[in-house]
Amino acid sequence: MAPIPGSGLAKGLAVTLRTMTKKSVTAQYPDAQPDLPPRTRGVIGLFEENCTVCMLCARECPDWCIYIDSHKETVPAATPGGRERSRNVLDRFAIDFSLCMYCGICIEVCPFDALFWSPEFEYAETDIRDLTHERDKLREWMWTVPAPPALDPGAEEPKELATARKTADKLAAQQAPPATEPHADEQARAAEQPTRPQGDSKQQTDQPKPGQPNPERPKPGQEGSE
């Protein structure tokens, strides 16, 4: 069946009329900031105190847009007679966001939780060379990282919290003074002695044990003499 001439135009005009009667939902940015989801991939924030310069993020980055420089320092021994050790000190941590593909591999592979996603997206520059941000800027973005979402009430406790709580309870038990009760030795000896069951009379207690002669009962041959 051939379509009616002008039916497509009529459908288009009907959609236009329905749209014209609806209220506009356009957000007046930048006066009204958008409500972004908590897992928005804006920029990457750096928590410098957790970085150990393991270089794992730079090696796993598929775009090679992470630049890290460091040097070694000798740390004196903590105890007399101990041995000195060396540690890596971070000198530079920069990310070139003109090359970054926002894959999140660097955040996932970081074993010390030094990199986080920030929903910040207002970092446009007029020169592409200014999109390479150093660690000072990355640290500023760290404070815009939202708090992690709350766990489900029925979910299991995270292993980190369970381990920390177990360690704290163990230390508290070691530091607590031993509990001493008065007359502990006497209570221990009383617990070792058998208790007399209720209802036993003195007569039952005075009965001789099997194999022992009864002093109250006369021996055979002495009944007639009395």
Side-chain angles (χ1 to χ4, degrees):
M1 182 177 178
I4 301 175
S7 60
L9 178 61
K11 291 180 180 179
L13 291 175
V15 173
T16 302
L17 291 175
R18 287 197 304 268
T19 306
M20 291 175 61
T21 57
K22 290 182 179 179
K23 185 179 180 181
S24 177
V25 294
T26 303
Q28 300 299 326
Y29 177 82
D31 297 333
Q33 293 292 329
D35 187 11
L36 300 176
R39 295 187 178 181
T40 301
R41 295 189 176 187
V43 291
I44 299 174
L46 171 66
F47 192 59
E48 187 176 337
E49 286 75 7
N50 287 355
C51 182
T52 61
V53 200
C54 64
M55 305 293 293
L56 192 58
C57 57
R59 290 198 300 266
E60 296 296 332
C61 178
D63 292 334
W64 294 86
C65 63
I66 301 178
Y67 311 109
I68 300 176
D69 294 332
S70 64
H71 69 277
K72 289 185 176 292
E73 285 185 357
T74 302
V75 180
T79 58
R83 187 173 59 181
E84 297 180 349
R85 61 185 182 90
S86 61
R87 67 171 181 176
N88 292 326
V89 179
L90 184 65
D91 293 331
R92 185 194 183 199
F93 195 107
I95 300 178
D96 187 357
F97 285 97
S98 65
L99 298 177
C100 179
M101 57 186 297
Y102 303 91
C103 62
I105 294 179
C106 57
I107 297 176
E108 295 177 2
V109 301
C110 180
F112 303 103
D113 293 335
L115 298 175
F116 296 88
W117 277 119
S118 168
E120 181 68 31
F121 62 93
E122 297 175 329
Y123 58 97
E125 300 289 346
T126 57
D127 192 345
I128 192 174
R129 292 172 294 184
D130 295 334
L131 286 175
T132 301
H133 296 288
E134 300 293 334
R135 63 177 183 176
D136 296 336
K137 188 64 176 179
L138 301 180
R139 186 178 181 85
E140 292 180 8
W141 284 332
M142 181 63 204
W143 312 124
T144 62
V145 175
L151 297 177
D152 188 89
E156 297 181 357
E157 186 181 29
K159 295 182 179 179
E160 295 82 358
L161 295 179
T163 304
R165 183 174 292 104
K166 188 181 297 183
T167 304
D169 294 342
K170 186 177 180 180
L171 292 175
Q174 293 177 355
Q175 295 177 358
T180 57
E181 297 181 359
H183 309 291
D185 297 337
E186 297 179 4
Q187 294 180 0
R189 287 196 297 268
E192 294 177 357
Q193 295 178 0
T195 58
R196 180 184 300 176
Q198 297 180 357
D200 290 354
S201 61
K202 187 175 184 300
Q203 296 178 358
Q204 294 177 349
T205 308
D206 297 337
Q207 290 181 359
K209 297 180 180 179
Q212 293 182 357
N214 190 350
E216 298 180 356
R217 185 176 181 181
K219 295 181 180 180
Q222 295 180 356
E223 297 177 358
S225 60
E226 296 180 356

